[in-house]
Amino acid sequence: MLAIENLVVRYGSILALRGISLEVNEGEVVGVIGPNGAGKSTMLMASAAAIPVAEGDIRFEGETVLKERPEKVVERGISLVPEGRHIFHRLTVGENLELGATTRTDAAAVEEDRARVFELFPILKEYLGTPAGKLSGGEQQMLAIGRALLARPRLLMLDEPSLGLAPVVIDRVFETLEQLRKTGMTILLVEQHAERTLDLADRVYVLRTGSIELAGTPEDLAGNPQFEKAFLGFV
Amino acid sequence: MSETGTSTRLPVGGSLGSLGVRLWPLLAPAGLTILISLLALMGSEVLERKATFMLINMVFVLGLYTFVGNSGVLSFGHATFMALGAYTFAFMTANVRVKNTTLPDAPGFLRDADIATWQAVALAAIVPAVFALIVALPLMRLNGLAAGIATLAMLFAVGVIVSQWQSLTGGNTAFAAIRRETDLYYALVIVVVLMPLVYLYQQSRFGLRLRGTREDLLASRSLGINTVRERTIAWVISAAIVGIAGAMYAGFNGTIDPSQFFLGARSAGGVTFLTIAMLVVGGISSLAGAVVGTIFLSGIAEALREVEKATDQRHITEVVLALILLLTLILRPRGITGGREIYWPFRREQTMRRPAAAPSAAGTSE
Amino acid sequence: MDPSEVAQNAIDAAARGSFLALVALGVALLFGIMNLVNFAYGEVILAGGYAMLIFTTWFLDASVWPLLIIWTVVVAIVFALAQERLAFRPVRHADPTTMLVTSFAVSVLLVNIAIVVWSGLARPVEIGGVTLEQFTAGEIRIRKLDVITLGAAAFLLLSLTAFLKRTSLGIQMRAASEDFRMSQLLGVPANRVIATAFFIAGILAGSVALITVGNQGSSSPGMGLFPLIFGLVAVVLGGMTSLIGAVVGGFVLGGLIVGLEQGLATYGMERFRDAFVFLAVIVMLVFRPQGLVVGRAIRERV
């Protein structure tokens, strides 16, 4: 579904990604883990066509996204929940959700999707008229995910959804992702939280200083001494 | 990044030749300026005056560059310093009898002042420098857009004071009978003295630190660099230099009035626009850029002034200069020089410059 | 001060405040959406002013004022959109300082074109005596133009608020001004919201042009400069990143100007009024850069 090939991204003289390749198949949950500054967010931003790419290609359902405007990428079915959630604090919860459906033209189907989001996150329905900045961190994360779902993505990309949240809230976020996976949603999840990612993902890539260091199923990686030392030791 | 690359270069040797190579980023623009001035000397008197005016603008742009180029903080306010320098020079050198008639209410020591030209020039550097030091306290804390707007506010505030303080400055009426001693030689001597000073500052540890804050504010703060102090140093030096440009201008024109310096309904961009255009078109972050930009736009402007005279159509020059500035910003935002210095073209030790970093950094820093 | 004097000052402050609020709103709208401090916004006002001159000399006289208003606003909108397309779109991804210099260049370009075409002198615009009329109630004088200004400002503010709150394009505008990149990630087209911002700014500038020409009875190359500068001051006072802040800043500045005039007149120093206004800007930038009304953080992480 999503194929990243030899992707190189530069920030000025800094090489953020040094030619990574990665694949996400339909219906799969793929995790990308790695330390801060490894280039994880860069990879997602590039896939959302939000930053320029130096070399390589990113293809979605066989066609490149590189020359696309960001809004076209959303239309084609990729949604990104960026790191730090980036909800619109001064807009109401309802308005934030409405923005999620910006690219949609099928009003009736949007209404269905809204109902589904409220099923997933009942709390959002209660706060519809509240400025989103008043929500707690966990509720904001739910809003961010709900908002992304309203674009009816075929590929949902999440950047560190557990960042800055209390453990019990993180549980809730991962439960949600588990639920989404059951509906057949394709998910690309970037996390520092290695253990939970291994629990959820079908396949995992390890990204470090702009290169892919390891890749495989959670079982493969869990047995890999190099991986255990680097990640599981800290969790 | 490319500039910092230069200053970290190792000394190449002790001989005079290699010193020349090392100083080439200074010698090249200085030589170019001298060459053009000498060529103008061989031409008509009109050409000589045009070259003199170019050198006055160059002093302004060198001053502007000292602050803006090294700090990366934009200033719309430097014409303030030019005005302060010009009025200081005017008070110190204008005909005493004329001053006593036109400004009867000004303090006596200003009305009766009549000092040597070089002393007046020195004073025209000191007054703006002191003023700059005072306003630096609030201004130098600001970054980016806030700094741009605050320097503009400074320009307008001082502009109101100069044009409204009738009893001191004569307000909007012209301040006349200023000693006219600015000719090409005089202007060239000042440029030849100031340009090495600007280069020296840029290569000094102060200049280097300030360039560090330009490249990365947070990183340089973590290295213990005091941004406000480094900026203040450059700001004050730059005010002094632009003040000298003001003195040169007053001594060139013989009369001054606020509309020559401050933005107003009549100025249509004025000296603020002209000098910013010169620096940006040349390349904002190198000495070479300041010099090349001044020469380039002066050449175009003076040619267009002739067209204006021939067609009796004023302000064509400003239209064309604004178009050139716009095209530069859109097509070549780092200016003609790309923000790099001019290096000795024949040397072998090119490799001593930081290899990979320089070209790719060019597009992003700032 | 006796009550009628207080009332007179309040009316003056409100009239100036609403005028400044209109300019400030245009400045803040562009800043909010694309971090652009647009000096050339003054020249959109200028374009409106000369559009009025053209209308009254070449087409019709000002008695057909509805047409005059529409024509002026349309020309301003066209100029605003042209600025965006030709000058600001190519530098959209540059840093704010580059965009600032660009807007300065556009401003100088347009002012000088106006001088080349219409000379540097003010050209009288025949708009009839409407604007000189005034009502009197006891000792209070109210100029008709001030009433028009207040009415126009109220109408535009309410319409803009309704647009921003009620329409989906308006919500997209608010989202983009809070977090431009995130709005793009949700599929809000950058070109659409930016063009809309310039479009609205054009409407505001056209209105400001109508009021300015009404006030001074002429169009001149410098007519955009002072509204722009004071609008910028109002935006700094009110808060760079909030539209409400721009409106608040406009009225605060209106009050400050009238207050300064009264206060300084006692010392015979009212000529220096603007110096104090600009001093206030510097003080504000240093001690409360977020302005009176706080929007988002000015510097966003890239």
PDB file of all heavy atoms in Angstrom, chain C residues 144-164:
ATOM      1  N   LYS C 144     -20.487  63.352   9.972  1.00  0.00           N
ATOM      2  CA  LYS C 144     -21.214  62.289   9.294  1.00  0.00           C
ATOM      3  C   LYS C 144     -20.261  61.145   8.925  1.00  0.00           C
ATOM      4  O   LYS C 144     -20.588  59.971   9.011  1.00  0.00           O
ATOM      5  CB  LYS C 144     -21.862  62.845   8.030  1.00  0.00           C
ATOM      6  CG  LYS C 144     -23.185  62.185   7.687  1.00  0.00           C
ATOM      7  CD  LYS C 144     -23.891  62.982   6.608  1.00  0.00           C
ATOM      8  CE  LYS C 144     -25.263  62.412   6.322  1.00  0.00           C
ATOM      9  NZ  LYS C 144     -25.983  63.197   5.322  1.00  0.00           N
ATOM     10  N   LEU C 145     -19.044  61.534   8.517  1.00  0.00           N
ATOM     11  CA  LEU C 145     -18.079  60.522   8.098  1.00  0.00           C
ATOM     12  C   LEU C 145     -17.709  59.582   9.252  1.00  0.00           C
ATOM     13  O   LEU C 145     -17.503  58.392   9.049  1.00  0.00           O
ATOM     14  CB  LEU C 145     -16.819  61.209   7.547  1.00  0.00           C
ATOM     15  CG  LEU C 145     -15.832  60.269   6.884  1.00  0.00           C
ATOM     16  CD1 LEU C 145     -16.421  59.679   5.620  1.00  0.00           C
ATOM     17  CD2 LEU C 145     -14.530  60.982   6.578  1.00  0.00           C
ATOM     18  N   ASP C 146     -17.655  60.155  10.470  1.00  0.00           N
ATOM     19  CA  ASP C 146     -17.350  59.309  11.621  1.00  0.00           C
ATOM     20  C   ASP C 146     -18.451  58.278  11.851  1.00  0.00           C
ATOM     21  O   ASP C 146     -18.183  57.118  12.189  1.00  0.00           O
ATOM     22  CB  ASP C 146     -17.167  60.169  12.875  1.00  0.00           C
ATOM     23  CG  ASP C 146     -15.856  60.934  12.832  1.00  0.00           C
ATOM     24  OD1 ASP C 146     -15.010  60.585  11.980  1.00  0.00           O
ATOM     25  OD2 ASP C 146     -15.670  61.860  13.636  1.00  0.00           O
ATOM     26  N   VAL C 147     -19.676  58.720  11.638  1.00  0.00           N
ATOM     27  CA  VAL C 147     -20.795  57.789  11.797  1.00  0.00           C
ATOM     28  C   VAL C 147     -20.690  56.689  10.743  1.00  0.00           C
ATOM     29  O   VAL C 147     -20.858  55.498  11.032  1.00  0.00           O
ATOM     30  CB  VAL C 147     -22.135  58.533  11.660  1.00  0.00           C
ATOM     31  CG1 VAL C 147     -23.297  57.556  11.763  1.00  0.00           C
ATOM     32  CG2 VAL C 147     -22.236  59.610  12.717  1.00  0.00           C
ATOM     33  N   ILE C 148     -20.375  57.118   9.511  1.00  0.00           N
ATOM     34  CA  ILE C 148     -20.220  56.129   8.434  1.00  0.00           C
ATOM     35  C   ILE C 148     -19.091  55.150   8.774  1.00  0.00           C
ATOM     36  O   ILE C 148     -19.229  53.935   8.606  1.00  0.00           O
ATOM     37  CB  ILE C 148     -19.928  56.834   7.085  1.00  0.00           C
ATOM     38  CG1 ILE C 148     -21.133  57.686   6.680  1.00  0.00           C
ATOM     39  CG2 ILE C 148     -19.585  55.828   6.002  1.00  0.00           C
ATOM     40  CD1 ILE C 148     -20.891  58.558   5.467  1.00  0.00           C
ATOM     41  N   THR C 149     -17.988  55.694   9.265  1.00  0.00           N
ATOM     42  CA  THR C 149     -16.855  54.840   9.628  1.00  0.00           C
ATOM     43  C   THR C 149     -17.262  53.815  10.672  1.00  0.00           C
ATOM     44  O   THR C 149     -16.990  52.620  10.535  1.00  0.00           O
ATOM     45  CB  THR C 149     -15.707  55.702  10.185  1.00  0.00           C
ATOM     46  OG1 THR C 149     -15.388  56.715   9.248  1.00  0.00           O
ATOM     47  CG2 THR C 149     -14.477  54.849  10.459  1.00  0.00           C
ATOM     48  N   LEU C 150     -17.909  54.304  11.721  1.00  0.00           N
ATOM     49  CA  LEU C 150     -18.333  53.386  12.788  1.00  0.00           C
ATOM     50  C   LEU C 150     -19.282  52.334  12.246  1.00  0.00           C
ATOM     51  O   LEU C 150     -19.142  51.139  12.562  1.00  0.00           O
ATOM     52  CB  LEU C 150     -19.021  54.174  13.898  1.00  0.00           C
ATOM     53  CG  LEU C 150     -18.100  54.700  15.006  1.00  0.00           C
ATOM     54  CD1 LEU C 150     -18.826  55.744  15.844  1.00  0.00           C
ATOM     55  CD2 LEU C 150     -17.657  53.537  15.886  1.00  0.00           C
ATOM     56  N   GLY C 151     -20.222  52.780  11.411  1.00  0.00           N
ATOM     57  CA  GLY C 151     -21.191  51.846  10.857  1.00  0.00           C
ATOM     58  C   GLY C 151     -20.504  50.801   9.981  1.00  0.00           C
ATOM     59  O   GLY C 151     -20.770  49.602  10.095  1.00  0.00           O
ATOM     60  N   ALA C 152     -19.606  51.287   9.119  1.00  0.00           N
ATOM     61  CA  ALA C 152     -18.913  50.367   8.213  1.00  0.00           C
ATOM     62  C   ALA C 152     -18.074  49.375   9.006  1.00  0.00           C
ATOM     63  O   ALA C 152     -18.062  48.171   8.706  1.00  0.00           O
ATOM     64  CB  ALA C 152     -18.023  51.155   7.248  1.00  0.00           C
ATOM     65  N   ALA C 153     -17.379  49.878  10.040  1.00  0.00           N
ATOM     66  CA  ALA C 153     -16.542  48.988  10.838  1.00  0.00           C
ATOM     67  C   ALA C 153     -17.405  47.937  11.517  1.00  0.00           C
ATOM     68  O   ALA C 153     -17.082  46.744  11.512  1.00  0.00           O
ATOM     69  CB  ALA C 153     -15.757  49.787  11.872  1.00  0.00           C
ATOM     70  N   ALA C 154     -18.513  48.367  12.088  1.00  0.00           N
ATOM     71  CA  ALA C 154     -19.394  47.416  12.776  1.00  0.00           C
ATOM     72  C   ALA C 154     -19.898  46.364  11.793  1.00  0.00           C
ATOM     73  O   ALA C 154     -19.867  45.162  12.073  1.00  0.00           O
ATOM     74  CB  ALA C 154     -20.569  48.151  13.408  1.00  0.00           C
ATOM     75  N   PHE C 155     -20.328  46.827  10.626  1.00  0.00           N
ATOM     76  CA  PHE C 155     -20.837  45.900   9.621  1.00  0.00           C
ATOM     77  C   PHE C 155     -19.759  44.894   9.199  1.00  0.00           C
ATOM     78  O   PHE C 155     -19.988  43.683   9.169  1.00  0.00           O
ATOM     79  CB  PHE C 155     -21.334  46.682   8.411  1.00  0.00           C
ATOM     80  CG  PHE C 155     -21.661  45.827   7.221  1.00  0.00           C
ATOM     81  CD1 PHE C 155     -22.803  45.034   7.226  1.00  0.00           C
ATOM     82  CD2 PHE C 155     -20.811  45.783   6.121  1.00  0.00           C
ATOM     83  CE1 PHE C 155     -23.101  44.223   6.140  1.00  0.00           C
ATOM     84  CE2 PHE C 155     -21.103  44.966   5.029  1.00  0.00           C
ATOM     85  CZ  PHE C 155     -22.254  44.184   5.044  1.00  0.00           C
ATOM     86  N   LEU C 156     -18.561  45.405   8.902  1.00  0.00           N
ATOM     87  CA  LEU C 156     -17.499  44.511   8.435  1.00  0.00           C
ATOM     88  C   LEU C 156     -17.059  43.549   9.521  1.00  0.00           C
ATOM     89  O   LEU C 156     -16.810  42.368   9.268  1.00  0.00           O
ATOM     90  CB  LEU C 156     -16.310  45.338   7.929  1.00  0.00           C
ATOM     91  CG  LEU C 156     -16.551  46.063   6.600  1.00  0.00           C
ATOM     92  CD1 LEU C 156     -15.474  47.098   6.335  1.00  0.00           C
ATOM     93  CD2 LEU C 156     -16.593  45.050   5.461  1.00  0.00           C
ATOM     94  N   LEU C 157     -16.952  44.046  10.755  1.00  0.00           N
ATOM     95  CA  LEU C 157     -16.529  43.169  11.849  1.00  0.00           C
ATOM     96  C   LEU C 157     -17.534  42.055  12.067  1.00  0.00           C
ATOM     97  O   LEU C 157     -17.166  40.886  12.236  1.00  0.00           O
ATOM     98  CB  LEU C 157     -16.350  43.974  13.146  1.00  0.00           C
ATOM     99  CG  LEU C 157     -15.157  44.920  13.190  1.00  0.00           C
ATOM    100  CD1 LEU C 157     -15.094  45.632  14.534  1.00  0.00           C
ATOM    101  CD2 LEU C 157     -13.878  44.130  12.962  1.00  0.00           C
ATOM    102  N   LEU C 158     -18.823  42.423  12.051  1.00  0.00           N
ATOM    103  CA  LEU C 158     -19.839  41.402  12.276  1.00  0.00           C
ATOM    104  C   LEU C 158     -19.867  40.398  11.127  1.00  0.00           C
ATOM    105  O   LEU C 158     -19.961  39.190  11.351  1.00  0.00           O
ATOM    106  CB  LEU C 158     -21.219  42.051  12.450  1.00  0.00           C
ATOM    107  CG  LEU C 158     -21.377  42.832  13.765  1.00  0.00           C
ATOM    108  CD1 LEU C 158     -22.717  43.563  13.800  1.00  0.00           C
ATOM    109  CD2 LEU C 158     -21.260  41.890  14.963  1.00  0.00           C
ATOM    110  N   SER C 159     -19.756  40.891   9.897  1.00  0.00           N
ATOM    111  CA  SER C 159     -19.761  39.963   8.756  1.00  0.00           C
ATOM    112  C   SER C 159     -18.571  39.033   8.816  1.00  0.00           C
ATOM    113  O   SER C 159     -18.679  37.823   8.578  1.00  0.00           O
ATOM    114  CB  SER C 159     -19.705  40.717   7.425  1.00  0.00           C
ATOM    115  OG  SER C 159     -20.494  41.843   7.453  1.00  0.00           O
ATOM    116  N   LEU C 160     -17.420  39.604   9.132  1.00  0.00           N
ATOM    117  CA  LEU C 160     -16.211  38.779   9.189  1.00  0.00           C
ATOM    118  C   LEU C 160     -16.336  37.731  10.290  1.00  0.00           C
ATOM    119  O   LEU C 160     -15.990  36.562  10.090  1.00  0.00           O
ATOM    120  CB  LEU C 160     -14.983  39.668   9.422  1.00  0.00           C
ATOM    121  CG  LEU C 160     -13.645  38.958   9.414  1.00  0.00           C
ATOM    122  CD1 LEU C 160     -13.404  38.269   8.078  1.00  0.00           C
ATOM    123  CD2 LEU C 160     -12.498  39.928   9.698  1.00  0.00           C
ATOM    124  N   THR C 161     -16.859  38.161  11.438  1.00  0.00           N
ATOM    125  CA  THR C 161     -17.034  37.208  12.530  1.00  0.00           C
ATOM    126  C   THR C 161     -17.968  36.081  12.106  1.00  0.00           C
ATOM    127  O   THR C 161     -17.685  34.902  12.331  1.00  0.00           O
ATOM    128  CB  THR C 161     -17.614  37.924  13.765  1.00  0.00           C
ATOM    129  OG1 THR C 161     -16.832  39.079  14.019  1.00  0.00           O
ATOM    130  CG2 THR C 161     -17.597  37.015  14.973  1.00  0.00           C
ATOM    131  N   ALA C 162     -19.076  36.459  11.471  1.00  0.00           N
ATOM    132  CA  ALA C 162     -20.030  35.436  11.025  1.00  0.00           C
ATOM    133  C   ALA C 162     -19.360  34.486  10.041  1.00  0.00           C
ATOM    134  O   ALA C 162     -19.500  33.265  10.136  1.00  0.00           O
ATOM    135  CB  ALA C 162     -21.242  36.100  10.384  1.00  0.00           C
ATOM    136  N   PHE C 163     -18.589  35.072   9.119  1.00  0.00           N
ATOM    137  CA  PHE C 163     -17.902  34.237   8.133  1.00  0.00           C
ATOM    138  C   PHE C 163     -16.935  33.268   8.826  1.00  0.00           C
ATOM    139  O   PHE C 163     -16.905  32.073   8.516  1.00  0.00           O
ATOM    140  CB  PHE C 163     -17.130  35.128   7.155  1.00  0.00           C
ATOM    141  CG  PHE C 163     -16.131  34.397   6.311  1.00  0.00           C
ATOM    142  CD1 PHE C 163     -16.553  33.575   5.279  1.00  0.00           C
ATOM    143  CD2 PHE C 163     -14.770  34.488   6.578  1.00  0.00           C
ATOM    144  CE1 PHE C 163     -15.633  32.874   4.509  1.00  0.00           C
ATOM    145  CE2 PHE C 163     -13.848  33.797   5.819  1.00  0.00           C
ATOM    146  CZ  PHE C 163     -14.282  32.982   4.782  1.00  0.00           C
ATOM    147  N   LEU C 164     -16.173  33.775   9.771  1.00  0.00           N
ATOM    148  CA  LEU C 164     -15.157  32.931  10.406  1.00  0.00           C
ATOM    149  C   LEU C 164     -15.767  31.864  11.306  1.00  0.00           C
ATOM    150  O   LEU C 164     -15.213  30.784  11.469  1.00  0.00           O
ATOM    151  CB  LEU C 164     -14.188  33.794  11.223  1.00  0.00           C
ATOM    152  CG  LEU C 164     -13.262  34.688  10.395  1.00  0.00           C
ATOM    153  CD1 LEU C 164     -12.461  35.611  11.300  1.00  0.00           C
ATOM    154  CD2 LEU C 164     -12.310  33.839   9.555  1.00  0.00           C
TER     155      LEU C 164
END
